[in-house]
């Protein structure tokens, strides 16, 4: 079974640009979450999507946005990039079944964004 | 607001020794997860603890959960070099039925096992 796939793996942008990151979840997983990982702040939750609906959102500015498609694939977008947006962006998927739900997340390899 | 604290943040061990990593959290939750991250890599799920008193073991690692004390431990037995990595605990602020993708992570414990 293929794992969570994220593209691109590495990218370099300059301040003010925007970036779109893509995530394909494990087959059958309908929940996709995004996290930002930095040395200073650690792992921080960005947002979660389930069946194309944003179910939860972390404490990030509106420059960070996301969406989910009908095939459960997800994208996140960061507009007007700032130096502080340099981070590893991790996507995770999970299988949700009411009443028998472990909530275990399976993470992709991440997209490492460098903002110059 | 749920807060998760791990200690120690850095741990240097000799091979063959035992040690415990602690994970405390601030509000009620009965869902706790342990992950491992190797340098430059993603997070690998190690343990899922879903009830008070839950204990899981895999190889030289054993995790437990005490929801009353809001404490989980990750015990390392007879450490080997291959266990060198950063270990994270994460707590879910929601029960089953709620948002499950929002985990609150600890800062991580960087473990280095030396011969």
């Amino acid at each position: 079974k293929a794992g969570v796939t994220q593209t691109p793996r590495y990218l370099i942008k300059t301040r003010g640009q925007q970036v779109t990151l893509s995530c394909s979840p494990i087959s059958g997983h309908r929940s996709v979450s995004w996290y930002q990982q930095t040395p200073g702040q650690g792992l921080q939750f960005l947002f979660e999507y389930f069946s194309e609906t944003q179910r939860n959102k972390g404490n990030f500015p509106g420059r960070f946005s996301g969406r989910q498609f009908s095939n459960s694939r997800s994208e996140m977008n960061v507009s007007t990039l700032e130096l502080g947006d340099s981070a590893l962006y991790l996507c995770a998927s999970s299988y949700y079944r009411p009443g028998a739900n472990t909530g275990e997340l399976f993470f992709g390899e991440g997209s490492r964004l460098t903002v110059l | 607001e749920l807060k998760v604290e791990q200690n120690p943040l850095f741990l240097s061990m000799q091979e063959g020794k035992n040690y415990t990593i602690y994970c405390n959290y601030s509000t009620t939750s009965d869902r706790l997860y342990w992950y491992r991250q190797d340098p430059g890599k993603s997070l690998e799920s190690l343990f899922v603890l879903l009830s008070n008193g839950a204990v899981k073991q895999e190889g030289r690692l054993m995790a437990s959960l005490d929801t009353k004390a809001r404490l989980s431990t990750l015990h390392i037995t007879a450490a080997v070099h291959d266990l060198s990595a950063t270990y994270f605990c994460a707590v879910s602020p929601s029960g089953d039925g709620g948002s499950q993708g929002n985990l609150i992570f600890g800062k991580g414990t960087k473990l280095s096992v030396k011969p």
Side-chain angles (χ1 to χ4, degrees):
Chain A
K1 200 174 188 180
V4 178
T5 304
Q6 291 188 245
T7 57
R9 292 290 313 281
Y10 303 91
L11 63 167
I12 300 173
K13 295 285 187 178
T14 56
R15 279 182 300 175
Q17 287 187 309
Q18 74 162 10
V19 66
T20 298
L21 309 177
S22 180
C23 172
S24 292
I26 292 171
S27 177
H29 287 193
R30 292 162 59 195
S31 174
V32 173
S33 302
W34 289 89
Y35 286 80
Q36 181 196 66
Q37 186 177 26
T38 59
Q41 299 298 317
L43 281 151
Q44 293 186 284
F45 170 75
L46 281 156
F47 23 67
E48 178 195 7
Y49 288 88
F50 180 79
S51 292
E52 302 179 68
T53 300
Q54 188 179 86
R55 194 152 68 166
N56 207 344
K57 188 178 191 307
N59 188 24
F60 278 82
R63 299 185 297 108
F64 292 81
S65 63
R67 58 178 175 168
Q68 186 180 34
F69 303 96
S70 59
N71 62 357
S72 295
R73 192 177 69 84
S74 177
E75 288 181 347
M76 68 164 280
N77 183 276
V78 188
S79 62
T80 319
L81 284 166
E82 300 177 0
L83 295 178
D85 296 334
S86 293
L88 179 66
Y89 290 88
L90 291 163
C91 169
S93 74
S94 63
Y95 176 73
Y96 178 73
R97 187 173 66 182
N101 181 34
T102 70
E104 184 178 14
L105 299 186
F106 296 88
F107 284 84
E109 293 287 330
S111 293
R112 186 166 294 281
L113 170 66
T114 301
V115 182
L116 302 176
Chain B
E1 181 189 347
L2 175 60
K3 293 190 187 305
V4 180
E5 288 189 2
Q6 279 182 246
N7 68 82
L9 296 183
F10 298 93
L11 179 53
S12 182
M13 296 176 65
Q14 283 204 302
E15 280 192 330
K17 298 292 187 183
N18 304 333
Y19 210 85
T20 300
I21 298 171
Y22 297 89
C23 175
N24 291 89
Y25 53 99
S26 61
T27 63
T28 302
S29 176
D30 57 1
R31 292 171 166 258
L32 190 137
Y33 309 85
W34 284 95
Y35 288 88
R36 167 182 171 147
Q37 186 176 39
D38 291 291
K41 301 289 187 182
S42 185
L43 278 80
E44 174 192 356
S45 178
L46 293 175
F47 299 109
V48 177
L49 303 170
L50 300 178
S51 60
N52 186 41
V55 178
K56 296 273 184 80
Q57 181 161 9
E58 180 72 37
R60 300 173 188 275
L61 300 178
M62 183 172 72
S64 66
L65 176 61
D66 182 343
T67 59
K68 290 182 171 54
R70 298 177 188 164
L71 170 69
S72 179
T73 60
L74 180 66
H75 187 72
I76 303 156
T77 301
V80 293
H81 179 70
D82 284 352
L83 290 179
S84 298
T86 300
Y87 293 85
F88 293 92
C89 66
V91 180
S92 172
S94 307
D96 184 32
S99 170
Q100 63 183 50
N102 176 17
L103 296 186
I104 309 300
F105 281 82
K107 293 258 186 231
T109 296
K110 187 171 182 178
L111 172 64
S112 176
V113 181
K114 302 184 186 306

